[in-house]
């Protein structure tokens, strides 16, 4: 029971330190010092250190935090890529069928809500991770906006607010996806890996981070897969 | 043990003196978090939390007054030892002199003639 409580508190502290942009090395050091103190004093983590949020904020205020570019920067890249990917997939079927991409007014409103939620995620991420209700509510609202947007798609040009040329949209979004992946790759290569390391652990050997770099190309790869699948379904039908 | 009246010291007093007392706890050589808190408690200065002490030590480390060394423990996570740097020793000396001057003036003010109402002679 005691160790389970300690572990839960330490996990929450790790998350709060990450949200405060504390480096992996400093997090490892902090966790080890907390464990040492708890073992010495026999106290519960809350009694010795307060809440994980308060303690992380106190340490970050003493100069432990790095400039806040890394977390927010890579997150903003991912959410922008997601929005561009959604534009790409919505233009795919009309392009294969040789039809314009028709968008209704309510549909555009739903898409804007979805895009705004994704693009502003770096601003409310901390709130999301700290509150279970928000962690449930945000995907529910996002999913509802996505489903509504599909349901509200106009059936013919008369109902549509906008009729866009899907070929150009496809090209522009594909180019943007590749550009965002290039930026992401450069960003990942420039920032060193920031794994949590204990103070007495041997320094990890620098390895080439294939997996981390591959994730930067997730959306272009998915876009190619979607293109292939849609073309295949079109050919069969 | 706390104050002679067995009441805890006012929190403001503890906050004001904790930094200086922590530097003093390190003057005899490297020591670790719980040992510092125990030393302060044994001296009757009050009970302090790890959550108060470690951020203070992080500030001293950033200021170059304290350096840190991890030593392996017996099966445990190891121990983080803090020690004073030459700059930390100099800071302790400076603050100790200031504290002595401050407390002697405060005591004089509390117990001396400054506390009594002045006699004002009207011609």
């Amino acid at each position: 029971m005691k160790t389970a409580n300690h572990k839960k508190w330490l996990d929450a502290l790790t998350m709060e330190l990450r949200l405060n942009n504390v480096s992996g090395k400093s997090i490892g050091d902090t966790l080890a010092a907390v464990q040492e103190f708890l073992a010495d004093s026999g106290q519960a983590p809350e009694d010795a250190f307060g809440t994980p949020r308060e303690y992380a904020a106190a340490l970050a205020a003493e100069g432990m935090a790095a400039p806040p570019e890394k977390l927010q920067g890579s997150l903003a890249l991912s959410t922008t890529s997601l929005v561009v990917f959604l534009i790409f997939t919505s233009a795919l079927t009309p392009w294969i069928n040789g039809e314009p991409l028709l968008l209704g007014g309510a549909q555009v409103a739903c898409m804007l809500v979805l895009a705004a939620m994704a693009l502003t995620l770096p601003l409310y991420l901390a709130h999301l991770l700290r509150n279970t209700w928000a962690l449930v509510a945000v995907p529910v609202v996002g999913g509802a906006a996505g489903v509504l947007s599909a349901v509200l798609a106009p059936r013919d040009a008369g109902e549509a607010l906008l009729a866009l040329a899907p070929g150009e949209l496809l090209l522009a979004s594909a180019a943007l996806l590749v550009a965002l992946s290039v930026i992401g790759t450069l960003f990942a290569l420039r920032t060193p890996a920031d794994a949590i390391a204990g103070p007495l652990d041997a320094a990890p050997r620098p390895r080439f981070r294939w997996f981390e770099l591959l994730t930067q190309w997730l959306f272009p790869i998915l876009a190619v897969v979607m293109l292939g699948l849609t073309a295949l379904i079109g050919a069969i039908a | 043990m706390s104050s002679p009246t067995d009441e805890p010291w006012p929190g403001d007093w503890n906050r004001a003196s904790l930094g200086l007392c922590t530097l003093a706890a390190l003057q005899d050589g490297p020591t670790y978090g719980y040992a510092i808190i125990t030393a302060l408690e044994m001296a009757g200065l009050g009970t302090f939390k790890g959550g108060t002490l470690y951020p203070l030590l992080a500030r001293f480390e950033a200021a170059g007054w304290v350096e840190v060394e991890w030593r392996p423990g017996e099966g445990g996570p190891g121990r983080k030892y803090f020690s004073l740097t030459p700059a930390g020793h100099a800071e302790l000396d400076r603050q100790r002199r200031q504290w002595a001057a401050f407390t002697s003036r405060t005591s004089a003010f509390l117990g001396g003639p400054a506390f009594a109402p002045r006699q004002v002679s009207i011609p």
Side-chain angles (χ1 to χ4, degrees):
Chain A
M1 185 65 199
K2 185 177 161 188
T3 26
N5 183 36
H6 283 199
K7 192 184 174 308
K8 196 177 164 198
W9 193 93
L10 289 168
D11 286 346
L13 178 66
T14 306
M15 186 192 81
E16 289 292 341
L17 289 167
R18 280 283 189 212
L19 288 174
N20 278 287
N21 289 292
V22 174
S23 73
K25 190 171 175 290
S26 295
I27 293 176
D29 190 290
T30 302
L31 295 178
V34 166
Q35 284 171 298
E36 173 209 322
F37 188 87
L38 294 179
D40 282 341
S41 68
Q43 288 175 304
E46 295 82 8
D47 296 337
F49 294 96
T51 67
R53 188 173 174 180
E54 286 164 356
Y55 188 49
L59 289 173
E62 299 303 345
M64 217 182 240
E69 65 172 82
K70 192 167 191 262
L71 183 67
Q72 272 76 5
S74 58
L75 197 62
L77 267 180
S78 308
T79 53
T80 312
S81 295
L82 174 67
V83 170
V84 176
F85 176 75
L86 291 176
I87 294 170
F88 178 90
T89 49
S90 63
L92 210 50
T93 311
W95 180 68
I96 298 269
N97 297 340
E99 295 161 358
L101 171 62
L102 302 176
L103 294 174
Q107 195 188 9
V108 170
C110 286
M111 285 175 159
L112 286 177
V113 167
L114 204 57
M117 281 176 72
L119 293 176
T120 54
L121 180 64
L123 302 178
Y124 63 83
L125 178 74
H127 187 73
L128 195 66
L129 294 176
R130 284 176 189 139
N131 297 286
T132 316
W133 68 265
L135 204 56
V136 174
V138 169
V140 166
V141 172
V147 169
L148 263 180
S149 152
V151 169
L152 296 171
R155 278 162 197 81
D156 54 59
E159 287 179 31
L161 178 76
L162 292 169
L164 303 171
E168 285 153 25
L169 209 57
L170 217 53
L171 265 182
S173 54
L176 205 56
L177 278 181
V178 171
L180 287 167
S181 294
V182 169
I183 295 170
T185 306
L186 293 176
F187 193 71
L189 286 175
R190 197 167 58 85
T191 44
D194 192 23
I196 295 173
L200 293 168
D201 296 350
R205 272 182 299 140
R207 282 178 298 149
F208 198 71
R209 290 169 285 149
W210 287 110
F211 185 73
E212 196 186 333
L213 294 186
L214 189 69
T215 56
Q216 302 297 332
W217 291 88
L218 194 64
F219 285 113
I221 292 168
L222 273 178
V224 171
V225 170
M226 290 299 289
L227 179 68
L229 272 179
T230 315
L232 193 69
I233 292 167
I236 292 168
Chain B
M1 180 185 133
S2 54
S3 60
T5 55
D6 276 338
E7 275 180 75
W9 301 112
D12 286 349
W13 298 6
N14 274 337
R15 271 192 289 282
S17 59
L18 180 62
L20 175 55
C21 291
T22 301
L23 288 176
L26 294 170
Q27 67 185 333
D28 293 330
T31 184
Y32 54 93
Y34 187 63
I36 296 172
I37 282 185
T38 309
L40 298 175
E41 202 173 336
M42 298 291 282
L45 296 175
T47 311
F48 297 93
K49 292 184 173 194
T52 311
L53 180 70
Y54 283 101
L56 187 69
L57 288 165
R59 189 193 309 163
F60 290 172
E61 193 187 346
W65 300 343
V66 160
E67 42 187 28
V68 164
E69 186 199 358
W70 275 94
R71 298 184 192 169
E74 297 121 27
R79 278 204 187 286
K80 189 178 190 178
Y81 277 85
F82 300 89
S83 57
L84 284 187
T85 61
H89 279 288
E91 182 63 24
L92 171 61
D93 288 344
R94 190 184 74 80
Q95 285 197 26
R96 186 183 268 141
R97 278 197 305 276
Q98 274 190 306
W99 182 264
F102 176 73
T103 47
S104 72
R105 283 186 199 185
T106 307
S107 301
F109 185 80
L110 290 174
F115 196 56
R118 283 161 196 254
Q119 296 290 322
V120 180
S121 55
I122 300 164

